[in-house]
Amino acid sequence: MIYVNGCSYTFGIGTAPHGDSPTNCLKNSWPAQLSEMIDQEIINQALPGSCNERIFRDTIDYLSTNDPDMVIVMWSDPGRLEGYMPKEGDWYREIFDLFQITPQAVTNINDYFKREALESYFSFLHTDAKRCLDTLSYMNAIQMICKAKNIPYISQCYKSNIERQCRHALKNMQSNKDPSVIKVSEKIKSLRTSLDDLNFGVNNTISFNQLVHDNYLPFSEYSLGHPSYEAHTFMANWFKELIEEHDLIS
């Protein structure tokens, strides 16, 4: 059995019209297609719009009481956050325990004071360095847990946001000689480096979105910016070949 987590790119948004029920897309997602290709049960805990805190928390929760044969996590945008904000956001966020917030979607918040608070946060307190540091910490923690439990683990990204934001953060900190800034910079570099040692040749520069572009695959006609059904088929085959190449499942 394989455990999978991620955001809408793993949930399958864009593979079919989802109307008022995004679960229509689950059966077309790359995890569902991979399950059929390799004849393995796959537990898919991905949810649309997920931040990396949610992905990390639910993955940790699952691994605390289960020992799957393999773990695949497709990480989301480091800039996304979560909070307890009932009755806020789009219809599909009703399936979350905590409200998922992207910087771009703050204007959709209904409550004036919550919206103003979040706009202030993203304008004055949010930094790429902090968000990258958090996400890299989550990625390393899952890697270490899987290593301790002797579970093959593939860490990938839905887009190249993590690597891009890390480069951007490091560039901005490069000329700053403040000791605290230097420490954060060194920690980001250290955490990035440690991610490559258990990932079977897959690093955080490889993303689903980039593979779609590189292989001239179509994006969805149902949900702009999301991979199409054909792209999910490609992604499922990509993972199938990786699993077979490294003999990850007996």
Side-chain angles (χ1 to χ4, degrees):
M1 186 268 290
I2 299 175
Y3 173 81
V4 170
N5 210 336
C7 62
S8 57
Y9 274 50
T10 302
F11 189 90
I13 294 295
T15 60
H18 50 257
D20 291 331
S21 177
T23 53
N24 294 342
C25 301
L26 270 174
K27 65 180 181 296
N28 294 324
S29 66
W30 66 259
Q33 295 190 54
L34 176 62
S35 177
E36 293 185 5
M37 289 177 184
I38 62 176
D39 193 25
Q40 285 279 339
E41 178 187 4
I42 292 184
I43 303 298
N44 184 0
Q45 286 196 327
L47 291 173
S50 286
C51 67
N52 288 325
E53 283 93 336
R54 201 287 304 168
I55 295 170
F56 172 70
R57 182 179 62 253
D58 286 356
T59 302
I60 289 289
D61 184 47
Y62 184 85
L63 292 176
S64 68
T65 55
N66 296 277
D67 292 307
D69 297 307
M70 183 179 177
V71 171
I72 303 175
V73 177
M74 187 173 286
W75 297 94
S76 182
D77 191 334
R80 294 178 179 177
L81 301 174
E82 63 179 0
Y84 182 66
M85 298 171 68
K87 299 182 180 179
E88 290 283 0
D90 298 328
W91 46 265
Y92 63 76
R93 289 192 166 90
E94 294 177 6
I95 60 181
F96 286 98
D97 49 356
L98 293 173
F99 176 57
Q100 308 294 296
I101 307 163
T102 66
Q104 299 86 357
V106 170
T107 55
N108 296 330
I109 302 296
N110 298 322
D111 186 278
Y112 171 80
F113 295 104
K114 293 175 182 177
R115 185 172 64 251
E116 287 294 301
L118 285 167
E119 287 179 348
S120 295
Y121 170 80
F122 282 113
S123 297
F124 303 110
L125 298 176
H126 172 89
T127 65
D128 284 342
K130 175 62 168 62
R131 301 306 300 164
C132 287
L133 199 60
D134 288 344
T135 290
L136 290 171
S137 298
Y138 302 147
M139 296 168 79
N140 274 276
I142 298 298
Q143 176 176 279
M144 288 187 288
I145 289 170
C146 288
K147 184 176 183 179
K149 293 166 76 75
N150 198 30
I151 299 172
Y153 166 59
I154 297 296
S155 171
Q156 205 197 25
C157 302
Y158 89 120
K159 292 182 179 179
S160 58
N161 295 29
I162 295 173
E163 180 62 21
R164 183 173 65 250
Q165 288 188 29
C166 284
R167 289 198 308 267
H168 180 70
L170 290 172
K171 182 178 180 180
N172 286 343
M173 292 187 288
Q174 193 171 18
S175 59
N176 194 323
K177 303 305 179 184
D178 184 281
S180 64
V181 174
I182 294 173
K183 286 181 180 179
V184 171
S185 176
E186 292 302 316
K187 183 59 65 176
I188 290 175
K189 293 176 184 177
S190 174
L191 289 170
R192 284 171 78 200
T193 301
S194 63
L195 286 173
D196 292 334
D197 62 1
L198 195 74
N199 211 20
F200 308 102
V202 182
N203 58 43
N204 61 343
T205 64
I206 298 174
S207 71
F208 190 174
N209 196 68
Q210 191 60 50
L211 289 170
V212 171
H213 280 289
D214 291 348
N215 291 276
Y216 305 102
L217 298 167
F219 281 89
S220 173
E221 62 181 295
Y222 309 114
S223 182
L224 294 179
H226 285 89
S228 63
Y229 177 85
E230 293 82 359
H232 276 258
T233 301
F234 175 89
M235 196 75 251
N237 271 300
W238 190 88
F239 277 116
K240 175 180 179 288
E241 292 175 3
L242 189 70
I243 290 168
E244 292 174 346
E245 178 185 354
H246 295 280
D247 195 23
L248 298 180
I249 297 182
S250 302

mmCIF file of all heavy atoms in Angstrom, residues 9 11-18 24-30 33 220 222-223 226-233:
data_model
loop_
_atom_site.group_PDB
_atom_site.id
_atom_site.type_symbol
_atom_site.label_atom_id
_atom_site.label_comp_id
_atom_site.label_asym_id
_atom_site.label_seq_id
_atom_site.Cartn_x
_atom_site.Cartn_y
_atom_site.Cartn_z
ATOM 1 N N TYR A 9 -3.006 19.371 -7.110
ATOM 2 C CA TYR A 9 -2.295 18.642 -8.165
ATOM 3 C C TYR A 9 -2.278 17.146 -7.876
ATOM 4 O O TYR A 9 -2.111 16.335 -8.798
ATOM 5 C CB TYR A 9 -0.863 19.157 -8.290
ATOM 6 C CG TYR A 9 -0.691 20.355 -9.194
ATOM 7 C CD1 TYR A 9 -1.493 21.484 -9.061
ATOM 8 C CD2 TYR A 9 0.285 20.365 -10.183
ATOM 9 C CE1 TYR A 9 -1.320 22.582 -9.880
ATOM 10 C CE2 TYR A 9 0.464 21.466 -11.014
ATOM 11 C CZ TYR A 9 -0.344 22.573 -10.857
ATOM 12 O OH TYR A 9 -0.175 23.659 -11.671
ATOM 13 N N PHE A 11 -4.777 15.809 -5.697
ATOM 14 C CA PHE A 11 -6.201 15.503 -5.544
ATOM 15 C C PHE A 11 -6.854 15.233 -6.892
ATOM 16 O O PHE A 11 -7.821 14.491 -6.997
ATOM 17 C CB PHE A 11 -6.894 16.676 -4.840
ATOM 18 C CG PHE A 11 -8.308 16.414 -4.428
ATOM 19 C CD1 PHE A 11 -8.600 15.882 -3.181
ATOM 20 C CD2 PHE A 11 -9.362 16.725 -5.285
ATOM 21 C CE1 PHE A 11 -9.920 15.658 -2.793
ATOM 22 C CE2 PHE A 11 -10.680 16.507 -4.903
ATOM 23 C CZ PHE A 11 -10.954 15.964 -3.654
ATOM 24 N N GLY A 12 -6.340 15.900 -7.940
ATOM 25 C CA GLY A 12 -6.878 15.670 -9.280
ATOM 26 C C GLY A 12 -7.735 16.792 -9.827
ATOM 27 O O GLY A 12 -8.388 16.615 -10.866
ATOM 28 N N ILE A 13 -7.744 17.947 -9.149
ATOM 29 C CA ILE A 13 -8.508 19.083 -9.680
ATOM 30 C C ILE A 13 -8.024 19.394 -11.096
ATOM 31 O O ILE A 13 -6.826 19.501 -11.346
ATOM 32 C CB ILE A 13 -8.337 20.326 -8.780
ATOM 33 C CG1 ILE A 13 -8.969 20.093 -7.403
ATOM 34 C CG2 ILE A 13 -8.955 21.558 -9.438
ATOM 35 C CD1 ILE A 13 -10.477 19.919 -7.427
ATOM 36 N N GLY A 14 -8.968 19.523 -12.009
ATOM 37 C CA GLY A 14 -8.634 19.790 -13.402
ATOM 38 C C GLY A 14 -8.789 18.587 -14.304
ATOM 39 O O GLY A 14 -8.788 18.729 -15.527
ATOM 40 N N THR A 15 -8.951 17.394 -13.712
ATOM 41 C CA THR A 15 -9.065 16.184 -14.540
ATOM 42 C C THR A 15 -10.488 15.931 -15.006
ATOM 43 O O THR A 15 -10.724 15.086 -15.872
ATOM 44 C CB THR A 15 -8.569 14.954 -13.765
ATOM 45 O OG1 THR A 15 -9.366 14.794 -12.570
ATOM 46 C CG2 THR A 15 -7.109 15.108 -13.378
ATOM 47 N N ALA A 16 -11.451 16.643 -14.410
ATOM 48 C CA ALA A 16 -12.865 16.479 -14.766
ATOM 49 C C ALA A 16 -13.631 17.689 -14.257
ATOM 50 O O ALA A 16 -13.158 18.396 -13.363
ATOM 51 C CB ALA A 16 -13.423 15.192 -14.154
ATOM 52 N N PRO A 17 -14.825 17.943 -14.790
ATOM 53 C CA PRO A 17 -15.645 19.019 -14.214
ATOM 54 C C PRO A 17 -15.988 18.652 -12.784
ATOM 55 O O PRO A 17 -16.418 17.533 -12.509
ATOM 56 C CB PRO A 17 -16.898 19.012 -15.100
ATOM 57 C CG PRO A 17 -16.526 18.250 -16.322
ATOM 58 C CD PRO A 17 -15.481 17.273 -15.910
ATOM 59 N N HIS A 18 -15.792 19.602 -11.841
ATOM 60 C CA HIS A 18 -16.039 19.228 -10.455
ATOM 61 C C HIS A 18 -17.246 19.922 -9.847
ATOM 62 O O HIS A 18 -17.686 19.545 -8.762
ATOM 63 C CB HIS A 18 -14.807 19.468 -9.580
ATOM 64 C CG HIS A 18 -14.196 20.825 -9.699
ATOM 65 N ND1 HIS A 18 -13.045 21.040 -10.423
ATOM 66 C CD2 HIS A 18 -14.568 22.020 -9.209
ATOM 67 C CE1 HIS A 18 -12.726 22.314 -10.349
ATOM 68 N NE2 HIS A 18 -13.633 22.938 -9.620
ATOM 69 N N ASN A 24 -15.214 14.400 -7.598
ATOM 70 C CA ASN A 24 -15.315 13.821 -8.944
ATOM 71 C C ASN A 24 -13.937 13.622 -9.569
ATOM 72 O O ASN A 24 -13.750 12.756 -10.424
ATOM 73 C CB ASN A 24 -16.134 14.735 -9.863
ATOM 74 C CG ASN A 24 -17.585 14.833 -9.444
ATOM 75 O OD1 ASN A 24 -18.067 14.000 -8.693
ATOM 76 N ND2 ASN A 24 -18.269 15.865 -9.922
ATOM 77 N N CYS A 25 -12.991 14.448 -9.152
ATOM 78 C CA CYS A 25 -11.658 14.417 -9.756
ATOM 79 C C CYS A 25 -10.755 13.331 -9.169
ATOM 80 O O CYS A 25 -9.760 12.950 -9.798
ATOM 81 C CB CYS A 25 -10.977 15.774 -9.582
ATOM 82 S SG CYS A 25 -11.883 17.149 -10.307
ATOM 83 N N LEU A 26 -11.074 12.854 -7.979
ATOM 84 C CA LEU A 26 -10.190 11.902 -7.301
ATOM 85 C C LEU A 26 -9.921 10.647 -8.134
ATOM 86 O O LEU A 26 -8.793 10.159 -8.186
ATOM 87 C CB LEU A 26 -10.784 11.495 -5.947
ATOM 88 C CG LEU A 26 -10.394 12.334 -4.739
ATOM 89 C CD1 LEU A 26 -11.189 11.891 -3.518
ATOM 90 C CD2 LEU A 26 -8.895 12.254 -4.465
ATOM 91 N N LYS A 27 -10.954 10.137 -8.780
ATOM 92 C CA LYS A 27 -10.781 8.886 -9.524
ATOM 93 C C LYS A 27 -9.933 9.067 -10.772
ATOM 94 O O LYS A 27 -9.470 8.078 -11.371
ATOM 95 C CB LYS A 27 -12.142 8.307 -9.907
ATOM 96 C CG LYS A 27 -12.965 9.143 -10.874
ATOM 97 C CD LYS A 27 -14.289 8.463 -11.181
ATOM 98 C CE LYS A 27 -15.126 9.251 -12.172
ATOM 99 N NZ LYS A 27 -15.546 10.571 -11.640
ATOM 100 N N ASN A 28 -9.713 10.337 -11.206
ATOM 101 C CA ASN A 28 -8.884 10.604 -12.386
ATOM 102 C C ASN A 28 -7.476 11.070 -12.023
ATOM 103 O O ASN A 28 -6.643 11.276 -12.913
ATOM 104 C CB ASN A 28 -9.536 11.683 -13.247
ATOM 105 C CG ASN A 28 -10.848 11.232 -13.847
ATOM 106 O OD1 ASN A 28 -11.011 10.076 -14.214
ATOM 107 N ND2 ASN A 28 -11.811 12.146 -13.931
ATOM 108 N N SER A 29 -7.208 11.276 -10.747
ATOM 109 C CA SER A 29 -5.918 11.816 -10.312
ATOM 110 C C SER A 29 -4.786 10.837 -10.597
ATOM 111 O O SER A 29 -5.003 9.633 -10.787
ATOM 112 C CB SER A 29 -5.965 12.101 -8.807
ATOM 113 O OG SER A 29 -6.093 10.884 -8.077
ATOM 114 N N TRP A 30 -3.550 11.378 -10.625
ATOM 115 C CA TRP A 30 -2.413 10.490 -10.878
ATOM 116 C C TRP A 30 -2.281 9.384 -9.827
ATOM 117 O O TRP A 30 -1.895 8.255 -10.187
ATOM 118 C CB TRP A 30 -1.112 11.285 -11.036
ATOM 119 C CG TRP A 30 -0.611 12.020 -9.832
ATOM 120 C CD1 TRP A 30 -0.742 13.353 -9.566
ATOM 121 C CD2 TRP A 30 0.124 11.473 -8.721
ATOM 122 N NE1 TRP A 30 -0.154 13.665 -8.359
ATOM 123 C CE2 TRP A 30 0.391 12.538 -7.829
ATOM 124 C CE3 TRP A 30 0.581 10.207 -8.397
ATOM 125 C CZ2 TRP A 30 1.085 12.353 -6.630
ATOM 126 C CZ3 TRP A 30 1.273 10.011 -7.212
ATOM 127 C CH2 TRP A 30 1.512 11.081 -6.344
ATOM 128 N N GLN A 33 -4.712 6.650 -10.929
ATOM 129 C CA GLN A 33 -4.230 5.979 -12.136
ATOM 130 C C GLN A 33 -3.010 5.115 -11.836
ATOM 131 O O GLN A 33 -2.877 4.006 -12.365
ATOM 132 C CB GLN A 33 -3.905 7.011 -13.207
ATOM 133 C CG GLN A 33 -5.123 7.785 -13.706
ATOM 134 C CD GLN A 33 -4.816 8.621 -14.931
ATOM 135 O OE1 GLN A 33 -4.320 8.104 -15.931
ATOM 136 N NE2 GLN A 33 -5.108 9.913 -14.876
ATOM 137 N N SER A 220 -5.607 21.873 -17.912
ATOM 138 C CA SER A 220 -7.022 21.539 -17.829
ATOM 139 C C SER A 220 -7.912 22.566 -18.525
ATOM 140 O O SER A 220 -7.671 23.768 -18.447
ATOM 141 C CB SER A 220 -7.435 21.426 -16.360
ATOM 142 O OG SER A 220 -8.827 21.255 -16.245
ATOM 143 N N TYR A 222 -11.005 22.540 -17.522
ATOM 144 C CA TYR A 222 -12.015 22.707 -16.477
ATOM 145 C C TYR A 222 -11.551 23.630 -15.352
ATOM 146 O O TYR A 222 -12.374 24.272 -14.703
ATOM 147 C CB TYR A 222 -12.385 21.357 -15.870
ATOM 148 C CG TYR A 222 -12.748 20.305 -16.888
ATOM 149 C CD1 TYR A 222 -11.957 19.176 -17.060
ATOM 150 C CD2 TYR A 222 -13.883 20.448 -17.679
ATOM 151 C CE1 TYR A 222 -12.291 18.212 -17.997
ATOM 152 C CE2 TYR A 222 -14.223 19.487 -18.626
ATOM 153 C CZ TYR A 222 -13.416 18.363 -18.781
ATOM 154 O OH TYR A 222 -13.745 17.420 -19.709
ATOM 155 N N SER A 223 -10.264 23.671 -15.108
ATOM 156 C CA SER A 223 -9.736 24.474 -13.999
ATOM 157 C C SER A 223 -8.404 25.062 -14.430
ATOM 158 O O SER A 223 -7.384 24.351 -14.464
ATOM 159 C CB SER A 223 -9.569 23.617 -12.743
ATOM 160 O OG SER A 223 -9.111 24.377 -11.660
ATOM 161 N N HIS A 226 -4.337 24.102 -13.791
ATOM 162 C CA HIS A 226 -4.170 22.750 -13.271
ATOM 163 C C HIS A 226 -3.876 21.776 -14.419
ATOM 164 O O HIS A 226 -4.369 21.962 -15.534
ATOM 165 C CB HIS A 226 -5.412 22.288 -12.516
ATOM 166 C CG HIS A 226 -5.566 22.917 -11.172
ATOM 167 N ND1 HIS A 226 -6.231 24.109 -10.979
ATOM 168 C CD2 HIS A 226 -5.129 22.529 -9.950
ATOM 169 C CE1 HIS A 226 -6.204 24.418 -9.698
ATOM 170 N NE2 HIS A 226 -5.535 23.485 -9.044
ATOM 171 N N PRO A 227 -3.103 20.732 -14.133
ATOM 172 C CA PRO A 227 -2.827 19.736 -15.175
ATOM 173 C C PRO A 227 -4.091 19.004 -15.619
ATOM 174 O O PRO A 227 -5.020 18.801 -14.835
ATOM 175 C CB PRO A 227 -1.854 18.767 -14.472
ATOM 176 C CG PRO A 227 -1.259 19.554 -13.346
ATOM 177 C CD PRO A 227 -2.346 20.475 -12.900
ATOM 178 N N SER A 228 -4.113 18.602 -16.872
ATOM 179 C CA SER A 228 -5.251 17.893 -17.448
ATOM 180 C C SER A 228 -5.221 16.412 -17.063
ATOM 181 O O SER A 228 -4.262 15.923 -16.440
ATOM 182 C CB SER A 228 -5.198 18.001 -18.971
ATOM 183 O OG SER A 228 -4.010 17.354 -19.446
ATOM 184 N N TYR A 229 -6.249 15.708 -17.467
ATOM 185 C CA TYR A 229 -6.289 14.248 -17.261
ATOM 186 C C TYR A 229 -5.084 13.593 -17.922
ATOM 187 O O TYR A 229 -4.453 12.691 -17.342
ATOM 188 C CB TYR A 229 -7.589 13.680 -17.837
ATOM 189 C CG TYR A 229 -7.688 12.179 -17.736
ATOM 190 C CD1 TYR A 229 -8.150 11.570 -16.577
ATOM 191 C CD2 TYR A 229 -7.311 11.363 -18.807
ATOM 192 C CE1 TYR A 229 -8.234 10.186 -16.478
ATOM 193 C CE2 TYR A 229 -7.389 9.984 -18.720
ATOM 194 C CZ TYR A 229 -7.854 9.402 -17.551
ATOM 195 O OH TYR A 229 -7.922 8.028 -17.453
ATOM 196 N N GLU A 230 -4.752 14.038 -19.144
ATOM 197 C CA GLU A 230 -3.598 13.465 -19.850
ATOM 198 C C GLU A 230 -2.305 13.695 -19.076
ATOM 199 O O GLU A 230 -1.434 12.814 -19.034
ATOM 200 C CB GLU A 230 -3.483 14.087 -21.249
ATOM 201 C CG GLU A 230 -4.615 13.729 -22.205
ATOM 202 C CD GLU A 230 -5.860 14.577 -22.008
ATOM 203 O OE1 GLU A 230 -5.876 15.445 -21.110
ATOM 204 O OE2 GLU A 230 -6.828 14.360 -22.758
ATOM 205 N N ALA A 231 -2.183 14.872 -18.459
ATOM 206 C CA ALA A 231 -0.985 15.164 -17.662
ATOM 207 C C ALA A 231 -0.918 14.271 -16.430
ATOM 208 O O ALA A 231 0.166 13.831 -16.028
ATOM 209 C CB ALA A 231 -0.983 16.638 -17.256
ATOM 210 N N HIS A 232 -2.062 13.992 -15.833
ATOM 211 C CA HIS A 232 -2.089 13.089 -14.674
ATOM 212 C C HIS A 232 -1.711 11.664 -15.086
ATOM 213 O O HIS A 232 -1.043 10.953 -14.328
ATOM 214 C CB HIS A 232 -3.465 13.108 -14.013
ATOM 215 C CG HIS A 232 -3.628 14.243 -13.048
ATOM 216 N ND1 HIS A 232 -3.534 14.091 -11.686
ATOM 217 C CD2 HIS A 232 -3.864 15.559 -13.258
ATOM 218 C CE1 HIS A 232 -3.709 15.257 -11.096
ATOM 219 N NE2 HIS A 232 -3.913 16.170 -12.021
ATOM 220 N N THR A 233 -2.113 11.261 -16.283
ATOM 221 C CA THR A 233 -1.706 9.952 -16.794
ATOM 222 C C THR A 233 -0.194 9.895 -16.955
ATOM 223 O O THR A 233 0.456 8.896 -16.589
ATOM 224 C CB THR A 233 -2.394 9.657 -18.138
ATOM 225 O OG1 THR A 233 -3.817 9.694 -17.974
ATOM 226 C CG2 THR A 233 -1.988 8.287 -18.669
#
